[in-house]
RNA sequence: CGGGAAGUAGCGCAGUCCGGUAGCGUACCUGGUUUGGGACCAGGUGGUCGCAGGUUCGAAUCCUGUCUUCCCGACCA
């Protein structure tokens, strides 16, 4: 065994780290809290990015790029936003290094090169963008502005985890400006739906759409909408957020427009983002003790073909036959890899591609050529099937669709089985301590109660589901009157 | 940031207590035999022991500092 994996039951955290590192998605770096995203992991991100980018464009958005640095005076303009992020900001104070006179071969910060004004490395870009929008917007004719940027941001987290919480991460952030509150709210909801569509239909990760409580709301937002996913260890993961920012940033940066009646109005704003964190969620939703399990629609490699041969002569015959298959797969838009390298034997390759989460493996040898068939193995169910060479491309296409839907259904079943109603505090705690998952419980709607529950149960309100039915009840903690249940969970 | 553990060859580890100039497995290289679930035999390559100081004739080993990672907690728009 070349690569031993920790099992989920042994140590869930270690299992996750093993998969990310041994599955070659990412690795630790020399920089605290920052990871190296390796080619295989980046290919996965590129696939995700490309699909999202297309969805953003289909909903009328354009890409742009704003600076990495935010002058402190701009950063602090929107008070709540600044306060929310202040304690995790990297700050640039100098612009030059010089040779250290007391330490040969070493450099030191030039004390003469202190910046007049500190630059904040963006933890999010509302400030720099709204400062820019001020110059873009004069009239209602300039609205809406529908802009997205693909970027990196830095949040100086105390405790980091590969993909789930890193000091630097990749994401996209949409920042839109609108003439009316209704339009901005519609945009906020539209993008939430885009995220839910992407995460469910491409990543095969079921999510619950909802709205955050005041405590969990984005700093500077009027309302934060979110999609919440459930991991295999029963903990929840916020997979994406879409914020209705009201006029907070417009007021902070004095962004006004003239309406049809030549009346000056503040602009309405939204922002929305998803990050490389989604990759962490993907790993923890589908993968198993053998390694990663990637959904076909975003897998860097959808099909791997492993030849089984004795001697160069057989290999040449297989190479020729497989070249036809590869051509046919590629013509059908299937991402296929033919691994005919001779330094690893078939068994080794089988294990390796299982670790990498490749949805379909095809093994083909002399025996198969004779029978005009191949051995096809599904990563999701670990089933092996003998499949006719005739019409193989169509078979594979259909199977990729089936695997995609099987992964989603499996995850949804798990998620649905882990939404539990609790009507007493004891039951509430018991669920959190045993099966985990979402606990649907009444809450009196106050921030104080939410804080108290967080303190006592280490669970937070993940969201108030959008389609939540109203029902009379009593708060799980205080017993005060409540009109609806909300979803609690322990979360990443 | 608090508590705990760790850092020695690409990876996984032993050696550290009791100082004497580094070893095992795997990977890698060469040759051969192999190839339908992580092959075998033989011969090799590769490490200033995380980094920086200090003690000493001599440091992976003792001392000080520092960096990084993991686990638990606090924090986490």
């Amino acid at each position: 065994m070349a690569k031993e994996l920790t099992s989920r039951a042994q140590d869930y955290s270690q299992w996750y780290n093993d998969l990310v590192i041994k599955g070659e998605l990412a690795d630790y770096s020399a920089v605290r809290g920052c990871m190296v995203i390796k080619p295989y992991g980046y290919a996965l991100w590129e696939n995700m990015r490309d699909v999202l980018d297309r969805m953003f464009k289909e909903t009328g958005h354009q890409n742009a790029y704003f600076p990495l640095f935010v002058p402190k005076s701009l950063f602090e303009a929107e008070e709540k936003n600044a306060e929310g992020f202040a304690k995790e900001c990297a700050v640039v104070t100098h612009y030059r290094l010089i040779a250290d006179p007391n330490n040969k071969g070493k450099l030191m910060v030039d004390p003469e090169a202190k910046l007049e004004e500190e630059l904040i490395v963006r933890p999010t870009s509302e400030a720099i963008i709204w400062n820019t929008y001020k110059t873009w917007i004069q009239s209602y004719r300039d609205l809406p502005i529908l802009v997205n940027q693909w970027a990196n941001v830095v949040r100086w987290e105390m405790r980091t985890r590969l993909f789930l919480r890193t000091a630097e991460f990749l994401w996209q952030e949409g920042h839109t400006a609108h003439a009316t509150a209704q339009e901005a709210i519609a945009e906020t909801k539209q993008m939430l739906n885009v995220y839910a569509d992407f995460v469910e239909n491409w990543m095969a990760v079921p999510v619950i759409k909802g709205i955050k409580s005041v405590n969990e709301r984005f700093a500077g937002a009027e309302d934060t909408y979110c999609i919440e996913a459930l991991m295999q260890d029963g903990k929840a993961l916020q997979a994406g957020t879409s914020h209705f920012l009201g006029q907070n940033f417009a007021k902070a940066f004095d962004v006004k427009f003239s309406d049809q009646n030549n009346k000056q109005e503040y602009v309405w704003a939204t922002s929305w983002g998803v990050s490389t964190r989604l990759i962490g969620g993907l790993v923890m939703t589908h993968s198993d003790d053998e390694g990663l399990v990637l959904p076909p629609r975003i897998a860097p490699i959808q099909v791997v073909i492993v030849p089984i041969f004795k001697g160069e002569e057989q290999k040449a015959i297989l190479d020729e036959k497989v070249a036809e298959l590869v051509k046919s797969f590629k013509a059908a838009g299937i991402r296929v890899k033919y691994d005919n390298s001779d330094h690893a034997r078939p068994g080794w390759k089988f294990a390796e591609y299982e670790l990498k989460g490749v949805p379909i493996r095809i093994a083909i040898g002399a025996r198969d050529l004779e029978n005009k068939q191949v051995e096809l193995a599904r990563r999701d169910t670990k089933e092996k099937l003998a499949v006719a060479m005739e019409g193989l491309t169509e078979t594979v296409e259909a199977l990729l669709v089936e695997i995609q839907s099987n992964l989603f259904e499996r995850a949804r079943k798990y998620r649905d089985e882990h939404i539990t109603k609790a009507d007493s505090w004891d039951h509430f705690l018991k669920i959190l301590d045993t099966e985990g998952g979402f606990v649907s419980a009444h809450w009196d709607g106050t921030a104080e109660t939410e804080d108290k529950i967080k303190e006592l149960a280490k669970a937070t309100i993940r969201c108030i589901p959008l389609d939540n039915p109203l029902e009379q009840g009593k708060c799980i903690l205080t017993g005060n009157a409540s009109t609806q249940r909300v979803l609690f969970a322990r979360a990443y």
Side-chain angles (χ1 to χ4, degrees):
Chain A
M1 285 292 225
K3 292 182 178 174
E4 291 238 16
L5 297 177
T6 307
S7 73
R8 284 166 290 186
Q10 261 168 8
D11 184 342
Y12 192 85
S13 295
Q14 191 58 48
W15 165 79
Y16 173 79
N17 288 331
D18 278 3
L19 256 56
V20 170
I21 291 170
K22 292 175 181 166
E24 297 190 306
L25 296 178
D27 211 342
Y28 296 112
S29 74
V31 189
R32 161 185 252 165
C34 297
M35 65 177 171
V36 174
I37 303 177
K38 296 183 78 174
Y40 190 62
Y42 201 78
L44 179 60
W45 176 242
E46 283 176 317
N47 287 343
M48 293 164 62
R49 191 193 61 191
D50 290 351
V51 174
L52 280 167
D53 199 64
R54 200 176 66 229
M55 289 173 142
F56 298 156
K57 285 170 181 161
E58 278 167 4
T59 44
H61 303 84
Q62 292 180 297
N63 286 328
Y65 188 80
F66 295 85
L68 169 67
F69 303 116
V70 186
K72 186 165 134 310
S73 57
L74 292 186
F75 185 76
E76 65 201 5
E78 207 296 322
E79 265 180 60
K80 280 185 180 160
N81 185 251
E83 196 188 313
F85 284 105
K87 58 187 175 298
E88 54 190 45
C89 286
V91 184
V92 179
T93 55
H94 293 74
Y95 60 85
R96 187 163 61 213
L97 297 170
I98 51 171
D100 184 345
N102 303 317
N103 214 340
K104 201 167 178 294
K106 304 289 183 187
L107 295 172
M108 59 180 278
V109 173
D110 183 355
E112 302 295 310
K114 195 167 184 306
L115 290 171
E116 290 269 315
E117 180 178 3
E118 293 89 346
L119 295 174
I120 314 301
V121 180
R122 62 180 169 214
T124 181
S125 302
E126 276 80 2
I128 189 75
I129 288 178
W130 276 85
N131 182 254
T132 307
Y133 282 179
K134 182 183 163 73
T135 69
W136 290 5
I137 299 166
Q138 277 87 40
S139 150
Y140 70 94
R141 294 197 172 92
D142 297 324
L143 297 171
I145 292 178
L146 304 173
V147 162
N148 174 65
Q149 85 166 345
W150 290 96
N152 57 340
V153 288
V154 169
R155 296 178 187 181
W156 213 262
E157 301 286 355
M158 284 304 161
R159 193 176 158 194
T160 56
R161 300 197 61 190
L162 294 166
F163 287 114
L164 296 171
R165 180 168 293 114
T166 46
E168 179 195 13
F169 56 91
L170 304 184
W171 76 345
Q172 57 70 217
E173 47 182 327
H175 295 273
T176 68
H178 305 266
T180 65
Q182 297 92 299
E183 194 184 306
I185 291 168
E187 164 78 4
T188 310
K189 290 180 178 171
Q190 171 184 246
M191 298 323 289
L192 185 78
N193 286 327
V194 165
Y195 287 155
D197 178 11
F198 171 72
V199 174
E200 294 203 325
N201 294 319
W202 292 80
M203 301 183 69
V205 175
V207 293
I208 293 170
K209 291 187 269 191
I211 191 159
K212 287 288 188 189
S213 64
V214 177
N215 278 10
E216 299 284 324
R217 187 182 284 166
F218 177 76
E222 293 293 309
D223 265 319
T224 288
Y225 292 79
C226 62
I227 48 173
E228 292 285 326
L230 187 64
M231 305 295 103
Q232 290 182 52
D233 63 347
K235 286 172 82 173
L237 181 81
Q238 177 177 298
T241 47
S242 184
H243 315 291
F244 169 57
L245 302 175
Q247 295 174 308
N248 295 339
F249 285 88
K251 285 175 180 167
F253 291 93
D254 194 31
V255 187
K256 291 181 192 163
F257 70 101
S258 305
D259 69 11
Q260 281 99 322
N261 306 314
N262 199 26
K263 196 170 154 240
Q264 292 279 301
E265 295 282 0
Y266 284 111
V267 175
W268 297 85
T270 83
S271 70
W272 27 275
V274 296
S275 71
T276 39
R277 186 181 217 208
L278 281 176
I279 294 177
L282 182 75
V283 170
M284 288 199 292
T285 299
H286 302 303
S287 303
D288 62 24
D289 290 347
E290 270 71 53
L292 299 170
V293 177
L294 301 179
R297 294 188 88 183
I298 54 167
I301 303 168
Q302 294 173 311
V303 178
V304 63
I305 303 176
V306 176
I308 293 154
F309 55 87
K310 294 177 181 157
E312 284 299 316
E313 203 175 311
Q314 277 195 7
K315 179 166 180 277
I317 295 168
L318 284 167
D319 282 352
E320 199 184 325
K321 182 66 200 169
V322 172
E324 290 170 27
L325 294 178
V326 167
K327 199 177 164 196
S328 171
F329 285 166
K330 283 188 175 166
I334 297 169
R335 294 186 289 275
V336 59
K337 173 176 176 171
Y338 176 44
D339 185 354
N340 65 346
S341 58
D342 201 13
H343 59 260
R345 299 168 81 245
W348 192 91
K349 292 176 186 172
F350 292 173
E352 180 66 13
Y353 291 107
E354 274 163 21
L355 171 59
K356 292 278 187 70
V358 176
I360 295 178
R361 180 186 72 235
I362 292 173
I364 178 166
R367 191 206 294 166
D368 300 298
L369 288 183
E370 225 169 273
N371 299 332
K372 296 190 179 5
Q373 63 175 40
V374 298
E375 180 193 83
L376 194 151
R378 290 175 63 152
R379 179 64 183 89
D380 61 336
T381 59
K382 312 267 325 247
E383 276 177 288
K384 286 188 200 174
L385 315 155
V387 173
M389 201 86 82
E390 176 89 32
L392 186 60
T393 304
E394 290 72 25
T395 308
V396 164
E397 272 185 302
L399 189 56
L400 287 171
V401 171
E402 190 187 321
I403 292 172
Q404 180 80 28
S405 103
N406 180 51
L407 287 176
F408 180 71
E409 288 308 326
R410 200 161 77 178
R412 183 162 68 180
K413 183 163 180 281
Y414 175 86
R415 194 274 312 274
D416 289 347
E417 285 168 359
H418 288 81
I419 302 175
T420 315
K421 281 187 182 178
D423 290 308
S424 76
W425 181 248
D426 285 349
H427 188 211
F428 182 81
L429 284 180
K430 187 167 171 255
I431 296 163
L432 289 170
D433 287 335
T434 53
E435 63 258 45
F438 292 110
V439 185
S440 177
H442 280 281
W443 162 59
D444 66 17
T446 68
E448 297 74 52
T449 302
E450 187 180 356
D451 283 339
K452 192 82 184 164
I453 291 172
K454 185 176 177 183
E455 188 191 324
L456 295 172
K458 300 188 192 310
T460 49
I461 296 175
R462 300 320 302 159
C463 71
I464 302 155
L466 288 188
D467 52 1
N468 218 23
L470 292 180
E471 82 177 38
Q472 294 301 314
K474 287 180 176 174
C475 175
I476 194 78
L477 184 70
T478 61
N480 294 338
S482 155
T483 56
Q484 61 180 343
R485 289 175 183 273
V486 299
L487 292 180
F488 288 89
R490 292 188 179 143
Y492 278 98

